[in-house]
């Protein structure tokens, strides 16, 4: 199942589509409200088939007849999504798993890069990728010396044995990434770590 994000401009051409999206949102919110009410009364989650039957009955009533503009498979998809979300919520509640909004790590790095490339392309900016295994935190940003002792992530600061420069691991890596990116943009070769 895919979810798309889009922007709908307010125009006469999009009026019908916007209307259907609004109706789908109303149905979605109604399903959420029903789930909350059902849980408050019976202390268990609502079955998606019961929810679908209820929505079918509501569509026959005059007050909710405009819901007939939405195809039945779309309504089934809405109820399935809501039911799946509540089922996951209650499973996590039983296992005492705390749920939180999705973080960057949940996206996956590949998805993040794809979103970034899309946004950059839209705004006319260039992305420069540096080699995946470039030792940015191990290389001295002043003289280029590669310190093999810095592979341990617990080492947060270090002093270069060649030039004596004090380095914060993250700031040093940021400087090296900037230099490598700039040299790649100019067409130079990446400075090898010595």
């Amino acid at each position: 199942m895919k979810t798309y994000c889009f922007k709908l401009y307010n125009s006469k051409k999009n009026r019908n589509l916007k209307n259907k999206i609004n109706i789908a949102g109303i149905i979605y919110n109604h399903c959420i409200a029903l789930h909350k009410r059902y849980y408050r009364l019976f202390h268990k989650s609502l079955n998606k088939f019961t929810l679908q039957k209820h929505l079918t009955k509501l569509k026959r009533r005059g007050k909710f007849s405009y819901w007939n503009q939405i195809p039945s498979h779309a309504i089934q998809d809405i109820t399935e999504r809501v039911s799946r979300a509540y089922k996951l919520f209650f499973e996590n509640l039983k296992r005492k798993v705390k749920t939180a909004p999705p973080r960057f790590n949940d996206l996956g790095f590949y998805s993040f890069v794809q979103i970034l490339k899309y946004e950059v392309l839209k705004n006319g900016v260039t992305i420069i990728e540096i080699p995946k295994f470039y030792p940015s935190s191990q290389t001295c940003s002043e003289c280029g010396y590669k310190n093999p002792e810095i592979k341990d992530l617990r080492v947060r600061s270090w002093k270069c044995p060649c030039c004596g420069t004090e380095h914060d691991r993250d700031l040093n890596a940021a400087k090296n990434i900037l230099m490598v990116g700039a040299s790649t943009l100019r067409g130079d070769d990446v400075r090898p770590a010595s």
Side-chain angles (χ1 to χ4, degrees), residues 145-161:
Y145 173 77
K146 182 182 172 194
N147 191 344
E149 297 171 14
I150 309 304
K151 285 192 183 230
D152 185 5
L153 293 175
R154 290 175 292 189
V155 177
R156 303 310 305 161
S157 60
W158 58 284
K159 186 175 184 176
C160 179

Side-chain angles (χ1 to χ4, degrees), residues 112-129:
F112 169 73
V113 170
Q114 294 308 311
I115 292 168
L116 185 64
K117 283 180 179 177
Y118 172 76
E119 289 297 323
V120 160
L121 185 68
K122 198 166 67 172
N123 295 315
V125 182
T126 306
I127 288 185
I128 302 296
E129 294 182 49

Side-chain angles (χ1 to χ4, degrees), residues 4-190:
Y4 295 97
C5 182
F6 60 91
K7 183 173 183 173
L8 191 62
Y9 292 100
N10 204 4
S11 71
K12 289 181 181 178
K13 288 190 294 185
N14 296 333
R15 193 175 296 151
N16 186 32
L17 181 60
K18 185 179 180 187
N19 186 32
K20 288 191 178 188
I21 291 171
N22 286 341
I23 294 170
I26 290 168
I27 294 171
Y28 184 87
N29 290 338
H30 186 80
C31 291
I32 298 279
L34 277 175
H35 263 282
K36 284 181 180 177
R37 203 173 314 134
Y38 192 84
Y39 183 74
R40 228 180 292 125
L41 292 172
F42 303 108
H43 300 290
K44 58 183 179 180
S45 64
L46 190 60
N47 183 336
K48 75 176 176 184
F49 301 111
T50 309
L51 188 60
Q52 287 172 356
K53 282 181 190 175
H54 175 72
L55 292 176
T56 305
K57 287 178 186 174
L58 283 180
K59 281 168 61 175
R60 291 187 195 127
R61 291 189 180 170
K63 184 179 176 185
F64 299 100
S65 62
Y66 68 98
W67 285 8
N68 287 316
Q69 295 175 33
I70 303 296
S72 59
H73 62 84
I75 292 177
Q76 287 175 355
D77 184 47
I78 290 168
T79 56
E80 196 169 303
R81 284 173 184 251
V82 170
S83 294
R84 193 177 327 123
Y86 268 90
K87 192 174 185 180
L88 181 65
F89 171 76
F90 286 112
E91 283 175 10
N92 288 342
L93 200 62
K94 282 180 186 174
R95 288 190 246 134
K96 295 182 180 175
V97 174
K98 290 189 177 183
T99 55
R103 295 182 314 245
F104 164 74
N105 293 348
D106 296 340
L107 275 178
F109 190 71
Y110 177 79
S111 299
F112 169 73
V113 170
Q114 294 308 311
I115 292 168
L116 185 64
K117 283 180 179 177
Y118 172 76
E119 289 297 323
V120 160
L121 185 68
K122 198 166 67 172
N123 295 315
V125 182
T126 306
I127 288 185
I128 302 296
E129 294 182 49
I130 69 164
K132 185 176 184 176
F133 296 107
Y134 183 77
S136 59
S137 56
Q138 299 170 30
T139 307
C140 175
S141 58
E142 297 297 319
C143 68
Y145 173 77
K146 182 182 172 194
N147 191 344
E149 297 171 14
I150 309 304
K151 285 192 183 230
D152 185 5
L153 293 175
R154 290 175 292 189
V155 177
R156 303 310 305 161
S157 60
W158 58 284
K159 186 175 184 176
C160 179
C162 282
C163 66
T165 308
E166 288 280 337
H167 292 294
D168 173 79
R169 180 187 189 93
D170 298 329
L171 290 174
N172 180 55
K175 289 177 186 176
N176 283 325
I177 290 169
L178 178 64
M179 282 193 285
V180 171
S183 66
T184 305
L185 182 62
R186 287 191 308 261
D188 302 340
D189 286 334
V190 175

